[in-house]
Every structure is written in C-alpha cells, then in structure tokens.
Amino acid sequence: MSEDYLSLKWGSLKSLRMRTQAVEEAFRCYDETGTHHGSAILHKDSSEQKSALCDLIDAVAAAGGQIQDEWTWKFMTADEAKHYVLGDKARAQSLAGEVIARNVMRSLLKKGSEEDE
C-alpha cells in the first residue's frame, strides 16, 4: 500500500496526498482542466474535469493508494470511485449541498440583519 491517498465528496475531489510521480502528473492534468472552487460543496466539475478526475483515481489506485468517500468514510475501489464521480449519487449530493449552502447563507444574512437593528 502506498502513501498516496484521495478522498471524494460532493462527487468531486476533496483531498489528495501525492507521493508518486504518476499521481502528481495525473493531478497536474486534472488541475489544468479548468477552474476549481475552493469549496467542494460549490464546485461542479465539467465533463473534462470528471474525465481527468477518473484518470487521477486510476493513478492513485495503480500506485496502491486508498480512495475514500468522505460522506461514508468507506474506502472504494477505483471503479466504485469513478462510478461515484460520474453517477447519480454525486449529483444528488451536489443538489443537497446546494440546498445546505443556500440555507446557511440565508441564516447568516438573517442574523446579520438582526444584529444591525
């Protein structure tokens, strides 16, 4: 087992620890595919980013690294991880995340307006 590690949340990359050249190269390709929001809850990968993320998942798996679902804390195979990134579960979590983000923002705005009174 290598020290490479990748975790996914909201159907996208949450965190990554790179120790091998192949994983670093795959991450560079993913990083170059487009912009990345600092918050996984608000980030939506393009189809090119999803493809590059699947390549990154393969690189981590080939290096013997672990891949983890941050929602369940369960470890996944590369195929499970790619299905998660490309599948309905990620979209459902993304939609749930958008609702959570809106509710948090509304709450903060309401609290701020109450403090101004």
Side-chain angles (χ1 to χ4, degrees):
M1 183 76 53
S2 81
E3 292 184 34
D4 294 283
Y5 171 87
L6 180 142
S7 66
L8 301 167
K9 192 169 188 180
W10 306 107
S12 189
L13 180 65
K14 168 77 169 151
S15 63
L16 175 68
R17 181 175 59 199
M18 301 174 285
R19 300 286 191 222
T20 60
Q21 186 73 27
V23 173
E24 288 181 18
E25 178 64 24
F27 175 73
R28 186 187 62 72
C29 291
Y30 170 72
D31 193 45
E32 290 176 353
T33 59
T35 59
H36 303 278
H37 196 283
S39 169
I41 193 173
L42 299 175
H43 178 73
K44 291 186 187 331
D45 283 325
S46 67
S47 58
E48 293 83 15
Q49 288 170 315
K50 287 179 187 255
S51 177
L53 181 53
C54 288
D55 292 341
L56 178 58
I57 289 166
D58 284 336
V60 170
Q66 295 183 318
I67 304 165
Q68 187 173 33
D69 177 348
E70 287 277 332
W71 276 105
T72 62
W73 295 97
K74 292 181 181 176
F75 291 99
M76 299 186 279
T77 65
D79 287 339
E80 290 169 335
K82 290 186 287 188
H83 181 74
Y84 170 67
V85 166
L86 300 172
D88 292 333
K89 185 176 180 183
R91 281 191 285 281
Q93 288 178 351
S94 182
L95 291 173
E98 290 174 19
V99 171
I100 291 167
R102 278 196 305 268
N103 289 340
V104 167
M105 293 305 292
R106 283 184 191 131
S107 196
L108 291 172
L109 289 170
K110 183 178 178 183
K111 182 178 182 181
S113 65
E114 289 172 354
E115 289 177 355
D116 290 340
E117 294 176 356

